[in-house]
């Protein structure tokens, strides 16, 4: 079927009062970014809707990609025909049959902006309705609560038909609420933390600590793949890969074993803080959740968090592991995260890390080494990759069933 345009409804952003203009502008930019290889599209935004004019570009593909764009409540493809009843009837039948399943009900809802059109709204409803009914076995009419609502709008330049409504990704347009650095490991949690933060409109740049040869190229590739999955929600994502071997080895030779994990985390946070400053972020995101492991007790966070005054966002802090896993599956990161290649923390984890580390002690242990120079060196040698082209696998599959 040839779609003329896609109608996008905003939902949450339309309730944001004075910020609405900025939100709409961002959403429009993000849609353009998602569809950047579409050379003909034009977008116009009104108070509570946005119209994507396809001008011959691939509507089916656009529908798929829009499923990942935050800030969209729902959206509908629109078919344009000439103002000829035969043409309108045919298009109406095609649209209904596309989403129809046995036993469903429907209703036609006509509007007539062009008052010179031969038929009035009741007559259009009747004409289109009877054509569709006659040609679709098992379909009945229900005016109050139909499964399929077919909208027909007659305007000066033509007739517009729509019936399908796709659920959007909701949330806020990415980038509408500043930028934060996501500490991205190869595990299950941090990609989910990144996703949830992006959903609130925050732009994300990922930071990963890599310790070759203790961690393999495949472990790095895994993180690149995770970043790629996240890029489905923003068009593209920057990934900063920090060489961490020297610092990690120094920590292990200088700090008592049960404090190495606390110290390692402090070093990661100090480096992330410097990168945040360089890239003008306003926050740091981690996948920490209270009580999961030794590093994630409140005492531990207290000792680690000391090295920065930047807000550290922990969207998973109170979530259950099973709920986190569900989200990971939904966003397509689960299967990548469970691959066995270990990250630097797993390799260096001491047998009995301190669950209640003390700030004074860790400060004392770290005071014998010039970590600041090592940190600056790691920041200087950080490699930045721009990752794009992510497609939401799982939702994509569901989506194909919907289409
Ligand atoms: P995840 O599932 O995200 O790996 P986790 O349950 O394994 O988390 P920890 O190993 O304690 O928990 O890590 C806590 C957080 O520290 C991670 O969620 C991530 O934000 C950050 N982190 C840990 N290792 C790395 C790394 N190698 N690079 C970047 N960030 C890291
Ligand atoms: Mg981990």
């Amino acid at each position: 079927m040839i779609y003329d345009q896609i109608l996008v409804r905003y939902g949450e952003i339309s309730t944001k009062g004075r910020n609405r203009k900025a939100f709409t502008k961002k959403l429009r930019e993000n849609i353009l970014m998602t569809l950047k290889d579409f050379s003909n599209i034009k977008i116009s935004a009104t108070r509570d809707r946005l119209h994507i004019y396809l001008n011959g570009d691939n509507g089916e593909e656009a529908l798929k990609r829009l499923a990942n764009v935050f800030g969209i409540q729902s959206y509908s493809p629109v078919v344009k025909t000439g103002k000829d009843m035969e043409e309108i009837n045919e298009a109406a039948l095609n649209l209904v049959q596309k989403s129809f399943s046995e036993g469903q009900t429907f209703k036609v809802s006509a509007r007539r902006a062009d008052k010179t059109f031969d038929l009035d709204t009741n007559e259009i409803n009747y004409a289109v309705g009877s054509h569709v009914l006659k040609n679709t076995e098992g379909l009945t009419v229900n005016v109050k609560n139909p499964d399929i609502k077919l909208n027909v709008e007659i305007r000066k330049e033509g007739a517009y038909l729509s019936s399908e409504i796709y659920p959007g990704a909701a949330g806020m347009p990415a980038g509408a609420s500043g930028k934060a650095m996501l500490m991205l490991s190869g595990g299950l949690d941090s990609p989910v933390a990144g996703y949830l933060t992006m959903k609130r409109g925050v732009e994300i740049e990922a930071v990963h600590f890599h310790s070759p040869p203790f961690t393999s190229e495949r472990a790095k590739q895994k993180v690149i793949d995770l970043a790629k999955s996240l890029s489905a929600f923003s068009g593209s994502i920057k990934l900063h890969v920090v060489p961490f071997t020297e610092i990690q080895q120094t920590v292990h030779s200088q700090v008592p074993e049960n404090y190495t994990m606390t110290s390692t985390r402090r070093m990661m946070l100090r480096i992330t803080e410097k990168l945040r400053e360089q890239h003008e972020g306003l926050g740091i995101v981690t996948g920490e959740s209270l009580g999961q492991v030794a590093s994630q007790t409140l005492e531990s966070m207290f000792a680690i968090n000391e090295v920065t005054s930047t807000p550290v966002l922990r969207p998973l802090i109170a979530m259950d592991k099973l709920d986190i896993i569900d989200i990971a599956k939904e966003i397509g990161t689960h299967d990548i995260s469970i691959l066995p290649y270990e990250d630097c923390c797993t390799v260096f984890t001491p047998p009995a890390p301190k669950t209640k580390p003390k700030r004074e002690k860790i400060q004392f242990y770290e005071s014998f080494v010039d970590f600041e120079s090592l940190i600056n060196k790691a920041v200087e040698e950080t490699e930045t990759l721009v990752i794009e082209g992510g497609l939401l696998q799982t939702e994509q599959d569901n989506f194909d069933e919907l289409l």
Side-chain angles (χ1 to χ4, degrees):
M1 190 168 313
I2 309 286
Y3 297 122
D4 173 67
Q5 56 162 284
I6 298 171
L7 181 70
V8 173
R9 303 171 194 85
Y10 311 146
E12 191 170 355
I13 48 175
S14 55
T15 66
K16 294 288 172 189
R18 275 190 300 157
N19 284 338
R20 189 177 46 221
K21 255 212 172 101
F23 284 108
T24 322
K25 184 163 170 270
K26 199 72 207 169
L27 178 60
R28 183 196 154 95
E29 280 170 23
N30 293 352
I31 292 176
L32 280 171
M33 177 75 178
T34 312
L35 304 177
K36 71 168 183 254
D37 51 325
F38 285 50
S39 44
N40 300 319
I41 61 157
K42 290 262 169 341
I43 297 184
S44 83
T46 62
R47 225 183 132 70
D48 48 13
R49 280 163 181 224
L50 188 145
H51 301 265
I52 303 171
Y53 298 101
L54 290 161
N55 297 318
D57 277 339
N58 184 344
E60 303 276 352
E61 178 61 25
L63 288 174
K64 281 188 183 178
R65 295 200 202 162
L66 287 174
N68 300 343
V69 179
F70 291 128
I72 295 180
Q73 201 58 33
S74 67
Y75 55 104
S76 300
V78 178
V79 176
K80 183 182 179 188
T81 72
K83 286 155 69 176
D84 167 80
M85 277 319 290
E86 222 167 279
E87 245 186 275
I88 294 172
N89 284 343
E90 249 354 87
L93 183 61
N94 278 332
L95 262 181
V96 170
Q97 291 192 337
K98 197 149 172 274
S99 57
F100 170 69
S101 56
E102 185 81 31
Q104 284 191 317
T105 58
F106 102 125
K107 153 189 187 176
V108 183
S109 174
R111 277 177 53 194
R112 200 176 55 141
D114 173 14
K115 303 291 179 203
T116 67
F117 192 68
D118 287 347
L119 310 183
D120 68 17
T121 50
N122 283 333
E123 289 165 334
I124 301 167
N125 285 342
Y126 181 78
V128 176
S130 51
H131 180 78
V132 173
L133 277 177
K134 201 164 57 197
N135 292 288
T136 315
E137 196 141 335
L139 183 69
T140 53
V141 172
N142 180 338
V143 239
K144 277 234 168 74
N145 191 18
D147 299 312
I148 304 170
K149 184 169 168 235
L150 177 71
N151 297 303
V152 180
E153 192 171 341
I154 311 287
R155 297 222 208 145
K156 280 243 151 17
E157 69 280 10
Y160 296 87
L161 288 80
S162 70
S163 71
E164 297 154 292
I165 297 186
Y166 297 106
M172 317 275 255
S177 336
K179 185 201 288 180
M181 311 306 279
L182 167 66
M183 295 176 69
L184 183 62
S185 67
L188 264 170
D189 300 324
S190 41
V192 173
Y195 163 80
L196 291 173
T197 310
M198 288 162 101
K199 189 166 183 181
R200 297 321 299 165
V202 178
E203 184 192 340
I204 289 295
E205 290 191 17
V207 179
H208 177 67
F209 296 88
H210 185 46
S211 303
F214 303 104
T215 54
S216 63
E217 269 310 298
R218 286 198 294 187
K220 180 174 158 190
Q221 186 57 46
K222 183 177 166 186
V223 174
I224 293 175
D225 292 343
L226 287 171
K228 189 163 179 170
S229 301
L230 289 178
S231 79
F233 300 99
S234 57
S236 80
I237 192 165
K238 277 192 186 148
L239 171 63
H240 306 284
V241 181
V242 183
F244 200 52
T245 315
E246 197 179 353
I247 291 179
Q248 211 156 16
Q249 283 176 317
T250 311
V251 166
H252 278 261
S253 63
Q254 297 294 325
V255 172
E257 193 184 67
N258 59 352
Y259 264 90
T260 53
M261 201 221 38
T262 314
S263 185
T264 305
R265 286 300 151 85
R266 285 162 61 99
M267 298 304 152
M268 285 186 175
L269 201 52
R270 283 169 70 177
I271 293 173
T272 308
E273 171 60 21
K274 287 194 191 280
L275 291 168
R276 175 203 67 74
E277 209 177 327
Q278 250 179 32
H279 298 277
E280 298 172 347
L282 301 171
I284 295 171
V285 183
T286 78
E288 290 164 301
S289 156
L290 260 185
Q292 271 197 16
V293 285
S295 63
Q296 300 182 12
T297 61
L298 199 52
E299 288 87 351
S300 187
M301 283 178 202
F302 184 74
I304 295 168
N305 214 145
E306 183 187 31
V307 302
T308 179
S309 60
T310 297
V312 177
L313 311 178
R314 300 180 176 90
L316 310 185
I317 197 69
M319 281 176 72
D320 289 337
K321 193 73 184 183
L322 289 179
D323 295 331
I324 297 170
I325 290 174
D326 281 348
I327 300 177
K329 285 182 177 158
E330 221 176 277
I331 63 174
T333 55
H334 176 269
D335 291 358
I336 306 170
S337 289
I338 61 172
L339 292 172
Y341 320 119
E342 295 180 323
D343 70 8
C344 58
C345 302
T346 330
V347 177
F348 280 91
T349 302
K354 202 100 184 124
T355 52
K356 296 184 177 180
K358 300 278 176 296
R359 280 185 175 185
E360 309 74 52
K361 282 199 173 167
I362 192 71
Q363 283 165 6
F364 175 71
Y365 298 142
E366 288 174 0
S367 68
F368 299 95
V369 183
D370 178 14
F371 278 113
E372 186 64 16
S373 307
L374 291 178
I375 286 173
N376 286 333
K377 184 164 164 243
V379 169
E380 255 164 49
E381 290 170 4
T382 292
E383 173 196 15
T384 298
L385 312 170
V386 178
I387 300 192
E388 51 189 13
L391 267 187
L392 194 53
Q393 258 352 94
T394 37
E395 276 194 8
Q396 208 67 37
D397 296 343
N398 295 339
F399 204 86
D400 284 336
E401 282 164 30
L402 273 174
L403 279 174

